Amino acid sequence: AQSVTQLDSHVSVSEGTPVLLRCNYSSSYSPSLFWYVQHPNKGLQLLLKYTSAATLVKGINGFEAEFKKSETSFHLTKPSAHMSDAAEYFCVVSDSWGKLQFGAGTQVVVTP
Amino acid sequence: DTGVSQNPRHKITKRGQNVTFRCDPISEHNRLYWYRQTLGQGPEFLTYFQNEAQLEKSRLLSDRFSAERPKGSFSTLEIQRTEQGDSAMYLCASSFPGQETQYFGPGTRLLVL
């Protein structure tokens, strides 16, 4: 069985400062990991995915994530937050059939 | 390509009524998934189809829930005798054969009074 734990339910950052969203995973095999973003009243959008290629994964809108097997982590970062980054972010692990297991989510607030 | 579409976007119903939601996946996507998201939580898997075959159902899917994908294209999710606990956002996603990325629709928000 696989699962993900998002370590922060809320993160507040100032515009222009770095963003760090933490995620730990548990999996009995080499996992596929994703980060999705959900803006209010909008559908889930894929930010990036890791599928056992490069451990540093670049996504859309300047986000990237690093897969660290030794730490079972897949943290999401962005060097400089923008107001439009305010949203809910989900760390997700996929099983061998493609069924997704979502974390509880991290709400990001960006202040001017 | 218009993406995954879901109808209706919102549904308000009274407890005990039946409701049906529809999902139209991206064309040529053979896998279709249903998830449920309650307030403040991440989506939870309900069931999925490969073409017209329903391959897995979550324990969350009680016998009041049924899903179909009769021709391997669109899918319907029906909830019979709705309960207040069924109030949630119901999300549909689809994926291309052999690829893991799932593309999500906007969801149907259900409120049971």
Side-chain angles (χ1 to χ4, degrees), chain A residues 35-100:
Chain A
W35 277 97
Y36 279 84
V37 61
Q38 188 174 38
H39 287 91
N41 300 315
K42 291 190 177 180
L44 286 157
Q45 182 183 20
L46 179 69
L47 278 178
L48 50 81
K49 65 178 179 180
Y50 166 77
T51 54
S52 73
T55 56
L56 184 62
V57 182
K58 294 189 183 297
I60 61 171
N61 300 335
F63 284 94
E64 64 180 36
E66 186 172 8
F67 174 76
K68 291 187 176 180
K69 186 175 180 179
S70 60
E71 299 176 10
T72 61
S73 68
F74 190 58
H75 301 335
L76 180 72
T77 60
K78 182 173 180 177
S80 176
H82 190 270
M83 295 299 290
S84 61
D85 294 328
E88 183 125 27
Y89 292 78
F90 294 98
C91 182
V92 185
V93 64
S94 171
D95 73 4
S96 56
W97 292 99
K99 182 177 68 181
L100 300 182

Side-chain angles (χ1 to χ4, degrees), chain B residues 65-109:
Chain B
F65 288 70
S66 63
E68 294 181 343
R69 195 182 183 197
K71 296 183 180 179
S73 56
F74 72 91
S75 175
T76 58
L77 178 68
E78 180 183 16
I79 309 174
Q80 296 182 328
R81 305 180 303 281
T82 52
E83 302 173 355
Q84 289 183 326
D86 298 330
S87 296
M89 175 76 86
Y90 290 84
L91 296 166
C92 175
S94 68
S95 66
F96 195 77
Q99 293 190 5
E100 295 175 296
T101 300
Q102 293 181 25
Y103 297 87
F104 283 81
T108 296
R109 186 173 294 281

Side-chain angles (χ1 to χ4, degrees), chain B residues 13-28:
Chain B
T13 191
K14 292 182 180 180
R15 188 177 53 184
Q17 297 295 304
N18 299 343
V19 294
T20 300
F21 310 140
R22 175 176 170 131
C23 170
D24 287 88
I26 295 171
S27 60
E28 299 179 352

Side-chain angles (χ1 to χ4, degrees), chain B residues 15-67:
Chain B
R15 188 177 53 184
Q17 297 295 304
N18 299 343
V19 294
T20 300
F21 310 140
R22 175 176 170 131
C23 170
D24 287 88
I26 295 171
S27 60
E28 299 179 352
H29 280 196
N30 70 339
R31 284 195 176 182
L32 186 148
Y33 301 80
W34 285 99
Y35 295 84
R36 180 172 70 186
Q37 184 178 20
T38 53
L39 204 60
Q41 300 296 321
E44 296 173 292
F45 169 80
L46 291 179
T47 188
Y48 88 97
F49 294 83
Q50 181 156 302
N51 299 314
E52 64 275 9
Q54 188 174 16
L55 296 186
E56 187 174 346
K57 293 193 291 186
S58 162
R59 289 171 297 176
L60 294 174
L61 216 63
S62 75
D63 56 5
R64 296 185 297 106
F65 288 70
S66 63

